[in-house]
Amino acid sequence: MRNTWEFLSTQKIVFGNGSIQKLDKVLQQLKAKNVLLITDPGIKQAGIVDRITDMLAEAGYKVVVYDQVVPEPPVDSAVECYEFAKEQMDTDAIIGLGGGSSIDMAKLVALLTAHGGHPMDYASGESQVPGPVTPLIAIPTTAGTGSEVTSVAVVTDVANNLKLGISDNHLRPLVALLDPELTVGLPAYVTACSGIDALSHAIESYTAKPYAYIQAEGELVFQGAIPIADALAVQAIELVADNLVLAVQQGSNLEARSNMMLASLLAGMAFSNAGNAAAHALAYPIGGLVKSPHGEVTGLLMPYVMDFNASVQLDKMEKIAQLFDVNTAELSKEEAATAASQAVLGLLKKIGLPTKLSEIGIKEENIEHIAKTTLTIDRLIRNNPRVSTVDNLKELLYKAL
Ligand SMILES: NC(=O)c1ccc[n+]([C@@H]2O[C@H](COP(=O)([O-])OP(=O)(O)OC[C@H]3O[C@@H](n4cnc5c(N)ncnc54)[C@H](O)[C@@H]3O)[C@@H](O)[C@H]2O)c1
Ligand SMILES: [Fe+2]
């Protein structure tokens, strides 16, 4: 039995409408003059990159931009971005600007510019990064992954049809700068996929196996459910329940956008300590097989994973139902747990996301491979409150098909 837990986050979080104006001050505090900004073409097209580079140029910084990040980035694209970064002299800080894809790419470049090698060198198990990485500032433009505060960078291992997470506390950015105004132009579909990912992080951290019963030795990045993460996750679940539909269907609603960005942040702080569980583990092989965005996959799986786990987390499932405004007074614990998964299913439908694996291209013949591969993702699967086996995961997957 494990007796202690720890809680880590970024050194500094700056949050609020217009907070992008604080970037100059943040860079001054880091004593950075030469900045590498990593982003993607969609964010450039939205005008966000030019706004920031103009502001920094005016303040006297030398800024080099890499704007070729691809969504759900493959490992090779991280290598390409690193090659670009190596050509730049004297980079004192890296900015990851964008969704999880751009921020994760910035994390990998910060890692490789500090320690060299290939991303896969750091992918066998947790905590393979030998020391601090190049100073990193994360500026999210989606509200979902929480990558701005997390210890994880996710890439697609195309050769093995698998998404994989490189997880180490050194990968947490030094500063997370969150300006909800940057998300106002986010298309409805990306808002839905990223927002439901935040919900998945919060629910998976909250319902994770309690830290005392995690079966692993040594220091863990993903420790199982811990009290601080529980508090953060509860707040995040409520914020998503109250704001995601509005953010998707009325994108200009800054209050809903701001609440979703806060939800994503809190969920990121929660899961990067407590850890995700079966839905995220299942999403890795599924994400390797189909091109769906990460959030679409984890969100789709959540109601089925919640039903799968309900019998060992009845109290927490009841609480989730209440956070979705279900009146549980007249319900048994089992009924309340079912109401919780139904509330998530209802949310998926309201925001127009798929609720069946067949809708995203998964076929019956993929199920065996998905179940077996999922069990190899130890840092996530050991965190799931109910013990997973090939047979019970196959049963879950058939229900989701
Ligand atoms: N590191 C972590 O802790 C963590 C956690 C969860 C997910 N992820 C990873 O993050 C990635 C997904 O990230 P995401 O959901 O944030 O999406 P994303 O970064 O893949 O971006 C999706 C699309 O939205 C566009 N976009 C982003 N912000 C925009 C804006 N403000 N206006 C207009 N267009 C905008 C981008 O150009 C892109 O085309 C996946 O690879 C996933 O595995 C990482
Ligand atoms: Fe996720």
Side-chain angles (χ1 to χ4, degrees):
M1 197 162 143
R2 299 175 69 89
N3 296 316
T4 55
W5 52 265
E6 295 180 5
F7 184 85
L8 285 88
S9 188
T10 48
Q11 278 185 10
K12 183 174 186 141
I13 295 168
V14 184
F15 186 100
N17 293 323
S19 61
I20 195 68
Q21 301 297 336
K22 303 258 184 190
L23 183 55
D24 179 16
K25 196 171 145 216
V26 165
L27 287 166
Q28 281 178 33
Q29 283 165 346
L30 296 180
K31 298 190 173 35
K33 277 277 158 214
N34 299 314
V35 180
L36 170 62
L37 189 147
I38 296 178
T39 189
D40 76 28
I43 292 142
K44 167 105 180 135
Q45 211 179 343
I48 299 172
V49 177
D50 289 349
R51 232 182 98 194
I52 293 176
T53 51
D54 288 354
M55 187 178 87
L56 292 182
E58 215 166 281
Y61 294 93
K62 181 172 167 273
V63 187
V64 175
V65 177
Y66 179 89
D67 61 8
Q68 294 304 311
V69 173
V70 282
E72 318 287 318
V75 177
D76 285 354
S77 75
V79 175
E80 206 179 291
C81 188
Y82 171 43
E83 293 299 328
F84 177 90
K86 270 201 294 193
E87 287 165 20
Q88 316 308 322
M89 300 297 285
D90 307 324
T91 298
D92 347 276
I94 295 177
I95 298 178
L97 170 72
S101 301
S102 294
I103 296 176
D104 286 0
M105 206 46 43
K107 285 179 177 175
L108 291 176
V109 173
L111 160 63
L112 298 174
T113 47
H115 301 291
H118 187 276
M120 297 301 278
D121 299 342
Y122 305 92
S124 57
E126 285 185 313
S127 305
Q128 301 292 309
V129 179
V133 303
T134 303
L136 183 63
I137 301 167
I139 307 177
T141 63
T142 63
T145 70
S147 180
E148 66 275 8
V149 287
T150 74
S151 47
V152 187
V154 185
V155 279
T156 308
D157 175 2
V158 182
N160 295 309
N161 282 345
L162 185 65
K163 290 202 81 174
L164 52 93
I166 299 170
S167 172
D168 189 298
N169 278 319
H170 289 113
L171 293 181
R172 291 181 198 271
L174 281 183
V175 182
L177 199 164
L178 300 95
D179 185 342
E181 283 175 2
L182 300 183
T183 65
V184 164
L186 194 62
Y189 174 61
V190 187
T191 305
C193 292
S194 47
I196 207 77
D197 192 27
L199 180 69
S200 313
H201 297 158
I203 295 179
E204 292 228 279
S205 317
Y206 185 54
T207 60
K209 188 187 279 184
Y211 74 93
Y213 306 125
I214 297 291
Q215 287 161 305
E217 298 297 320
E219 303 255 312
L220 303 178
V221 178
F222 285 179
Q223 303 164 80
I226 61 174
I228 292 185
D230 277 4
L232 294 164
V234 163
Q235 175 98 36
I237 295 167
E238 191 163 34
L239 284 166
V240 175
D242 292 346
N243 292 281
L244 182 53
V245 174
L246 207 50
V248 171
Q249 295 180 0
Q250 194 183 77
S252 60
N253 187 319
L254 193 53
E255 198 183 342
R257 291 292 194 183
S258 182
N259 285 332
M260 280 308 301
M261 193 157 239
L262 184 58
S264 164
L265 169 70
L266 301 180
M269 291 170 79
F271 96 77
S272 63
N273 288 280
N276 286 316
H280 274 75
L282 286 159
Y284 278 174
I286 295 173
L289 290 170
V290 296
K291 287 268 166 283
S292 286
H294 166 80
E296 183 168 85
V297 181
T298 56
L300 184 159
L301 290 165
M302 268 331 289
Y304 305 98
V305 171
M306 288 168 78
D307 284 343
F308 177 79
N309 287 333
S311 56
V312 291
Q313 281 293 21
L314 282 174
D315 290 340
K316 284 187 163 179
M317 294 297 176
E318 181 184 36
K319 176 74 182 169
I320 294 169
Q322 291 162 355
L323 294 169
F324 272 87
D325 282 338
V326 175
N327 181 354
T328 57
E330 306 285 310
L331 302 181
S332 68
K333 294 266 180 207
E334 285 77 10
E335 286 167 342
T338 304
S341 64
Q342 286 298 312
V344 176
L345 190 69
L347 177 59
L348 286 168
K349 289 179 183 162
K350 280 186 208 151
I351 59 175
L353 290 183
T355 59
K356 289 279 175 188
L357 288 171
S358 52
E359 291 175 66
I360 62 168
I362 295 297
K363 301 191 171 59
E364 196 176 340
E365 66 250 34
N366 302 131
I367 283 184
E368 182 92 20
H369 160 78
I370 296 169
K372 284 188 171 151
T373 314
T374 298
L375 284 180
T376 66
I377 307 169
D378 188 46
R379 79 194 155 87
L380 295 173
I381 218 67
R382 71 171 180 233
N383 236 19
N384 199 62
R386 177 175 163 192
V387 174
S388 314
T389 63
V390 173
D391 284 342
N392 64 22
L393 287 180
K394 275 168 68 178
E395 201 180 314
L396 184 164
L397 287 161
Y398 271 110
K399 285 185 185 151
L401 197 65

